[in-house]
Amino acid sequence: MMTGVGIHVTTTMKRAFNFNAGPAALPLEVLKAAAEQMTDYEGAGMSIMEMSHRSKHYERLNDETQQLFRSLLSIPEGYKVLFLQGGASTQFAMIPMNLLPADKTAGYVVTGSWAIKAFKEAQLFGATFEAASSKPTAYDRVPDLSSIALPSNAAYLHVTSNETIEGVQMQTFPNTGNTPLIADMSSDILSRPVDVSKFGMIYAGAQKNLGPSGVTVVIAKDELVDASPKTLATMLRYDTHSANNSLYNTPPSFSVYMMNLVLRWIRDGGGLSEMERRNKEKTDLLYRVIDESDGFYTGHADPAYRSRMNVTFRLKDEALEKAFIKESEAAGFVGLKGHRSVGGCRASTYNAVPYETCAALAEFMTDFQKKH
Ligand code: PMP
């Protein structure tokens, strides 16, 4: 069927086996709900995209979405939930700009590609140090966190809870005492319960586990977001957004709306413990195929640090990997090519990726091995 804007719409719905790393699969129920509300949001006679961010509708949505984070993550008193723009990459800069004064130093745990980016960015703004690194083992694990010694003038310690590219996930977090622990949870937020009280700040771009791209969530202790240096640009100060309930300027309203639906979907689907159970069940299917393949597939991550969000693996050589990607695409699988910086294969299995999609991939992998 042709629409009035020259777009062809199919009448029979097809959903791909979507393993994209981000932007990534969204729950079908969420997409359907958004489609339902697309032309008339709660009787307003317009979509959420078409209304003022100062309207009652949007204010309610903004507040409710913060509340959903608070209840899903059991966020204690004394924390703010902010919705910002610029992606997690902007946080790489905002964190040192706001929280690293001239007389202090910031520690970074270097677990892979995203930690490296965060660490490099911080070096533009102040003194930093490498607290631990898994470079010697090609970022296949989380380095020993128990031996990290923080200097007395440490401003914060930064960790990356899940390395999206390498497929390595932190199973425990370092104890930093009074030094704020800051975590980039872009690729595993809301995939499992975490004790927020251990963190000074948690941040995440939305486009993996939370919704579409365009909004970045910052969950942080009041004292970290309420006192930015007075010389900083207005939009890059946490206190601007904190004092204005994330409505200082026009927010990414559609992204926040979609995130609201995703959070409801998580809540109604049993919350974070249930997400964790499902993610473990899904990734177990894939890791089992890898482990039982007699070396046909080799996992990148050391088994103790395997990610429940990004399953990374290689085949014997690049030619076979190419064949794997090509045949997988022909069979309806999308997004299995590893990140361009490391190669290999990667299946991203975020909350919204159904069990059946992972089971289909496990079967495809087994068949591919038999065939080759
Ligand atoms: N951190 C991690 C762990 C990521 O996976 C990504 C995106 N893939 C980023 C940061 C960067 O996020 P953004 O594209 O939102 O800037």
Side-chain angles (χ1 to χ4, degrees):
M1 180 179 71
M2 278 310 273
T3 61
V5 289
I7 293 173
H8 182 74
V9 179
T10 48
T11 41
T12 50
M13 191 185 67
K14 173 186 155 217
R15 293 284 290 166
F17 293 131
N18 185 353
F19 289 98
N20 281 331
L26 289 167
L28 182 58
E29 294 89 335
V30 165
L31 296 170
K32 284 186 169 167
E36 282 280 309
Q37 290 190 312
M38 192 59 82
T39 49
D40 184 6
Y41 177 76
E42 295 189 350
M46 64 186 78
S47 73
I48 196 86
M49 285 182 281
E50 300 170 283
M51 66 175 69
S52 168
H53 58 291
R54 308 287 173 203
S55 64
K56 281 276 158 286
H57 278 296
Y58 191 77
E59 271 184 20
R60 198 171 350 108
L61 179 78
N62 186 44
D63 288 342
E64 187 193 279
T65 312
Q66 292 174 32
Q67 281 309 323
L68 282 163
F69 272 107
R70 288 187 184 279
S71 65
L72 282 171
L73 276 165
S74 308
I75 300 175
E77 288 291 302
Y79 283 77
K80 296 262 165 39
V81 178
L82 307 179
F83 302 144
L84 309 181
Q85 301 192 57
S89 301
T90 298
Q91 293 311 303
F92 292 169
M94 272 178 78
I95 290 163
M97 286 171 116
N98 282 270
L99 301 173
L100 179 54
D103 58 343
K104 292 201 169 177
T105 177
Y108 280 75
V109 176
V110 184
T111 38
S113 305
W114 289 109
I116 292 169
K117 283 207 164 156
F119 188 28
K120 281 212 175 117
E121 192 73 5
Q123 288 161 21
L124 297 171
F125 300 99
T128 57
F129 65 99
E130 183 182 280
S133 171
S134 54
K135 190 177 182 188
T137 55
Y139 305 114
D140 70 342
R141 67 193 62 200
V142 176
D144 177 20
L145 301 173
S146 64
S147 59
I148 293 176
L150 294 171
S152 59
N153 67 338
Y156 59 81
L157 180 73
H158 181 281
V159 299
T160 308
S161 60
N162 183 69
E163 284 287 358
T164 322
I165 292 175
E166 286 78 7
V168 167
Q169 191 171 26
M170 286 193 166
Q171 308 303 330
T172 57
F173 293 97
N175 190 344
T176 55
N178 290 329
T179 304
L181 175 63
I182 299 184
D184 175 0
M185 292 198 187
S186 291
S187 51
D188 69 351
I189 191 165
L190 303 192
S191 70
R192 56 180 177 177
V194 293
D195 179 357
V196 174
S197 70
K198 290 211 168 101
F199 297 87
M201 178 183 290
I202 291 168
Y203 66 96
Q207 63 273 19
K208 294 150 203 305
N209 259 333
L210 300 177
S213 58
V215 61
T216 307
V217 178
V218 170
I219 298 162
K221 281 195 172 149
D222 294 343
E223 63 262 31
L224 297 182
V225 289
D226 284 344
S228 306
K230 299 294 169 240
T231 51
L232 263 189
T234 310
M235 278 298 287
L236 298 178
R237 313 163 59 102
Y238 287 121
D239 61 4
T240 298
H241 303 286
S242 174
N244 291 282
N245 198 23
S246 300
L247 292 170
Y248 171 74
N249 73 326
T250 317
S253 51
F254 190 71
S255 298
V256 172
Y257 162 73
M258 289 296 288
M259 188 164 72
N260 176 282
L261 296 181
V262 171
L263 298 189
R264 287 171 183 230
W265 177 82
I266 295 173
R267 176 196 64 193
D268 297 348
L272 302 191
S273 306
E274 175 61 12
M275 293 301 122
E276 180 177 47
R277 190 197 64 74
R278 289 187 200 168
N279 291 327
K280 186 165 183 309
E281 188 180 42
K282 287 179 328 194
T283 46
D284 276 347
L285 289 172
L286 304 178
Y287 286 126
R288 194 173 313 128
V289 172
I290 291 169
D291 288 341
E292 291 174 358
S293 73
D294 280 325
F296 185 82
Y297 300 105
T298 48
H300 171 74
D302 180 282
Y305 303 99
R306 281 174 166 172
S307 171
R308 299 295 178 182
M309 297 276 96
N310 311 96
V311 177
T312 49
F313 56 97
R314 302 215 72 132
L315 285 82
K316 189 181 78 223
D317 53 43
E318 260 177 52
L320 201 56
E321 281 168 358
K322 261 204 181 122
F324 180 84
I325 298 299
K326 194 162 169 232
E327 287 184 33
S328 74
E329 284 170 357
F333 295 92
V334 176
L336 292 173
K337 207 165 178 313
H339 191 270
R340 61 191 186 282
S341 62
V342 297
C345 304
R346 168 175 60 172
S348 296
T349 57
Y350 303 121
N351 286 347
V353 176
Y355 177 87
E356 293 71 29
T357 300
C358 296
L361 177 59
E363 194 182 322
F364 172 82
M365 287 171 72
T366 305
D367 290 346
F368 184 88
Q369 179 176 3
K370 276 187 202 138
K371 217 173 111 189
H372 293 267

